[in-house]
Amino acid sequence: MRILVDMDDVLADFDAEFLKRWRARHPEKMYVPLEERTIFYVKESYPQDLQPLVSEIYLEPGFFREMMPVEGGVEAVKTMQQMGLEIFFCTSPLYVYKNCVLEKYEWVEHHFGAEWVNRIILTRDKTLVKGDILIDDKPIITGVESTPMWEHILYDRPYNRDVNRKRLTWQNWKQVLGM
Ligand code: U2P
Ligand code: MG
């Protein structure tokens, strides 16, 4: 059984890192609390005039490296591996990839250990990757393969709750996967 695990907002807390930086830098400006997010992309969740300031934050050096782990995620992935499951990280770099690509590798090395860097699959098209399950917070995942080999199980987030699909968190993954 091969499990593909997404990184941003599944293992690394992109939304929390963004909100922390946004509120510190622009305390006078509006913000969208995580529970009120209905749109996957943080940039699209903000009014158009603020969008350049939003992307400025997640494009800056250190953003991807300094994200906190999502609670329970590192432990869950290591437990899965100990149970004999084959784990790969399956993550998409930003289109503006300069800091993000290097820092995703650094993040995995720091939070999982150097040997786990071998398990990173970095791709803009996850439908091309072979696996049994893809755990990902993105509501709809599309690419050149119209029928990917994996089953998409949602990592539960406020902005994907309108999608009717099996979902889990790092608190209930064993029950959901029947393990
Ligand atoms: O857009 C490419 C990838 O960057 C992460 N991302 C980007 C913008 C945003 O608002 N939220 C977000 O998570 C996602 O990376 P992944 O979850 O694949 O690791 C998105 O696919
Ligand atoms: Mg994600």
Side-chain angles (χ1 to χ4, degrees), residues 86-98:
E86 190 180 45
I87 310 293
F88 285 92
F89 304 113
C90 187
T91 182
S92 300
L94 294 172
Y95 182 67
V96 182
Y97 57 82
K98 286 277 175 336

PDB file of all heavy atoms in Angstrom, residues 86-98:
ATOM      1  N   GLU A  86       4.011   2.238   2.489  1.00  0.00           N
ATOM      2  CA  GLU A  86       5.051   2.954   1.754  1.00  0.00           C
ATOM      3  C   GLU A  86       4.611   4.408   1.606  1.00  0.00           C
ATOM      4  O   GLU A  86       3.560   4.681   1.029  1.00  0.00           O
ATOM      5  CB  GLU A  86       5.228   2.303   0.377  1.00  0.00           C
ATOM      6  CG  GLU A  86       6.424   2.811  -0.376  1.00  0.00           C
ATOM      7  CD  GLU A  86       6.553   2.128  -1.730  1.00  0.00           C
ATOM      8  OE1 GLU A  86       5.542   1.982  -2.443  1.00  0.00           O
ATOM      9  OE2 GLU A  86       7.675   1.745  -2.073  1.00  0.00           O
ATOM     10  N   ILE A  87       5.408   5.316   2.137  1.00  0.00           N
ATOM     11  CA  ILE A  87       5.006   6.724   2.179  1.00  0.00           C
ATOM     12  C   ILE A  87       5.870   7.570   1.246  1.00  0.00           C
ATOM     13  O   ILE A  87       7.101   7.446   1.250  1.00  0.00           O
ATOM     14  CB  ILE A  87       5.188   7.305   3.613  1.00  0.00           C
ATOM     15  CG1 ILE A  87       4.548   6.406   4.670  1.00  0.00           C
ATOM     16  CG2 ILE A  87       4.655   8.734   3.680  1.00  0.00           C
ATOM     17  CD1 ILE A  87       3.060   6.328   4.619  1.00  0.00           C
ATOM     18  N   PHE A  88       5.216   8.429   0.488  1.00  0.00           N
ATOM     19  CA  PHE A  88       5.925   9.472  -0.257  1.00  0.00           C
ATOM     20  C   PHE A  88       5.228  10.806  -0.003  1.00  0.00           C
ATOM     21  O   PHE A  88       4.001  10.854   0.126  1.00  0.00           O
ATOM     22  CB  PHE A  88       5.927   9.180  -1.763  1.00  0.00           C
ATOM     23  CG  PHE A  88       6.892   8.092  -2.156  1.00  0.00           C
ATOM     24  CD1 PHE A  88       6.473   6.765  -2.223  1.00  0.00           C
ATOM     25  CD2 PHE A  88       8.229   8.389  -2.428  1.00  0.00           C
ATOM     26  CE1 PHE A  88       7.370   5.759  -2.561  1.00  0.00           C
ATOM     27  CE2 PHE A  88       9.124   7.379  -2.769  1.00  0.00           C
ATOM     28  CZ  PHE A  88       8.701   6.064  -2.830  1.00  0.00           C
ATOM     29  N   PHE A  89       6.010  11.866   0.075  1.00  0.00           N
ATOM     30  CA  PHE A  89       5.435  13.207   0.117  1.00  0.00           C
ATOM     31  C   PHE A  89       5.143  13.602  -1.321  1.00  0.00           C
ATOM     32  O   PHE A  89       6.005  13.440  -2.189  1.00  0.00           O
ATOM     33  CB  PHE A  89       6.424  14.203   0.725  1.00  0.00           C
ATOM     34  CG  PHE A  89       6.904  13.812   2.093  1.00  0.00           C
ATOM     35  CD1 PHE A  89       8.232  13.452   2.309  1.00  0.00           C
ATOM     36  CD2 PHE A  89       6.023  13.812   3.166  1.00  0.00           C
ATOM     37  CE1 PHE A  89       8.674  13.097   3.563  1.00  0.00           C
ATOM     38  CE2 PHE A  89       6.465  13.453   4.433  1.00  0.00           C
ATOM     39  CZ  PHE A  89       7.790  13.088   4.628  1.00  0.00           C
ATOM     40  N   CYS A  90       3.961  14.113  -1.565  1.00  0.00           N
ATOM     41  CA  CYS A  90       3.588  14.499  -2.931  1.00  0.00           C
ATOM     42  C   CYS A  90       3.100  15.935  -2.880  1.00  0.00           C
ATOM     43  O   CYS A  90       2.006  16.225  -2.400  1.00  0.00           O
ATOM     44  CB  CYS A  90       2.505  13.551  -3.438  1.00  0.00           C
ATOM     45  SG  CYS A  90       2.116  13.792  -5.170  1.00  0.00           S
ATOM     46  N   THR A  91       3.938  16.842  -3.345  1.00  0.00           N
ATOM     47  CA  THR A  91       3.655  18.265  -3.124  1.00  0.00           C
ATOM     48  C   THR A  91       3.924  19.068  -4.388  1.00  0.00           C
ATOM     49  O   THR A  91       4.804  18.720  -5.180  1.00  0.00           O
ATOM     50  CB  THR A  91       4.493  18.781  -1.932  1.00  0.00           C
ATOM     51  OG1 THR A  91       4.192  20.139  -1.679  1.00  0.00           O
ATOM     52  CG2 THR A  91       5.993  18.634  -2.169  1.00  0.00           C
ATOM     53  N   SER A  92       3.165  20.124  -4.569  1.00  0.00           N
ATOM     54  CA  SER A  92       3.329  20.984  -5.744  1.00  0.00           C
ATOM     55  C   SER A  92       4.071  22.257  -5.357  1.00  0.00           C
ATOM     56  O   SER A  92       3.682  22.918  -4.395  1.00  0.00           O
ATOM     57  CB  SER A  92       1.969  21.378  -6.317  1.00  0.00           C
ATOM     58  OG  SER A  92       1.252  20.237  -6.696  1.00  0.00           O
ATOM     59  N   PRO A  93       5.105  22.612  -6.115  1.00  0.00           N
ATOM     60  CA  PRO A  93       5.767  23.898  -5.852  1.00  0.00           C
ATOM     61  C   PRO A  93       4.907  25.042  -6.379  1.00  0.00           C
ATOM     62  O   PRO A  93       4.086  24.837  -7.268  1.00  0.00           O
ATOM     63  CB  PRO A  93       7.070  23.797  -6.650  1.00  0.00           C
ATOM     64  CG  PRO A  93       6.751  22.862  -7.769  1.00  0.00           C
ATOM     65  CD  PRO A  93       5.699  21.901  -7.257  1.00  0.00           C
ATOM     66  N   LEU A  94       5.107  26.219  -5.826  1.00  0.00           N
ATOM     67  CA  LEU A  94       4.463  27.399  -6.388  1.00  0.00           C
ATOM     68  C   LEU A  94       4.995  27.618  -7.795  1.00  0.00           C
ATOM     69  O   LEU A  94       6.126  27.226  -8.108  1.00  0.00           O
ATOM     70  CB  LEU A  94       4.798  28.643  -5.545  1.00  0.00           C
ATOM     71  CG  LEU A  94       4.249  28.694  -4.124  1.00  0.00           C
ATOM     72  CD1 LEU A  94       4.856  29.887  -3.390  1.00  0.00           C
ATOM     73  CD2 LEU A  94       2.734  28.803  -4.146  1.00  0.00           C
ATOM     74  N   TYR A  95       4.211  28.301  -8.623  1.00  0.00           N
ATOM     75  CA  TYR A  95       4.660  28.654  -9.961  1.00  0.00           C
ATOM     76  C   TYR A  95       5.936  29.504  -9.859  1.00  0.00           C
ATOM     77  O   TYR A  95       6.899  29.315 -10.599  1.00  0.00           O
ATOM     78  CB  TYR A  95       3.537  29.414 -10.679  1.00  0.00           C
ATOM     79  CG  TYR A  95       3.863  29.793 -12.083  1.00  0.00           C
ATOM     80  CD1 TYR A  95       4.016  28.816 -13.069  1.00  0.00           C
ATOM     81  CD2 TYR A  95       4.026  31.133 -12.433  1.00  0.00           C
ATOM     82  CE1 TYR A  95       4.324  29.166 -14.363  1.00  0.00           C
ATOM     83  CE2 TYR A  95       4.329  31.485 -13.731  1.00  0.00           C
ATOM     84  CZ  TYR A  95       4.485  30.503 -14.683  1.00  0.00           C
ATOM     85  OH  TYR A  95       4.790  30.850 -15.973  1.00  0.00           O
ATOM     86  N   VAL A  96       5.953  30.419  -8.905  1.00  0.00           N
ATOM     87  CA  VAL A  96       7.165  31.190  -8.609  1.00  0.00           C
ATOM     88  C   VAL A  96       7.937  30.366  -7.569  1.00  0.00           C
ATOM     89  O   VAL A  96       7.710  30.468  -6.379  1.00  0.00           O
ATOM     90  CB  VAL A  96       6.817  32.590  -8.064  1.00  0.00           C
ATOM     91  CG1 VAL A  96       8.071  33.404  -7.800  1.00  0.00           C
ATOM     92  CG2 VAL A  96       5.895  33.327  -9.024  1.00  0.00           C
ATOM     93  N   TYR A  97       8.843  29.518  -8.072  1.00  0.00           N
ATOM     94  CA  TYR A  97       9.361  28.419  -7.261  1.00  0.00           C
ATOM     95  C   TYR A  97      10.613  28.743  -6.448  1.00  0.00           C
ATOM     96  O   TYR A  97      11.068  27.911  -5.656  1.00  0.00           O
ATOM     97  CB  TYR A  97       9.676  27.236  -8.196  1.00  0.00           C
ATOM     98  CG  TYR A  97      10.648  27.617  -9.288  1.00  0.00           C
ATOM     99  CD1 TYR A  97      12.009  27.635  -9.046  1.00  0.00           C
ATOM    100  CD2 TYR A  97      10.206  28.010 -10.547  1.00  0.00           C
ATOM    101  CE1 TYR A  97      12.911  28.021 -10.028  1.00  0.00           C
ATOM    102  CE2 TYR A  97      11.090  28.404 -11.532  1.00  0.00           C
ATOM    103  CZ  TYR A  97      12.438  28.410 -11.262  1.00  0.00           C
ATOM    104  OH  TYR A  97      13.311  28.812 -12.224  1.00  0.00           O
ATOM    105  N   LYS A  98      11.167  29.933  -6.620  1.00  0.00           N
ATOM    106  CA  LYS A  98      12.508  30.251  -6.111  1.00  0.00           C
ATOM    107  C   LYS A  98      12.810  29.793  -4.678  1.00  0.00           C
ATOM    108  O   LYS A  98      13.747  29.048  -4.450  1.00  0.00           O
ATOM    109  CB  LYS A  98      12.794  31.750  -6.240  1.00  0.00           C
ATOM    110  CG  LYS A  98      13.064  32.212  -7.659  1.00  0.00           C
ATOM    111  CD  LYS A  98      14.503  31.973  -8.042  1.00  0.00           C
ATOM    112  CE  LYS A  98      14.850  32.291  -9.475  1.00  0.00           C
ATOM    113  NZ  LYS A  98      13.835  32.287 -10.513  1.00  0.00           N
TER     114      LYS A  98
END
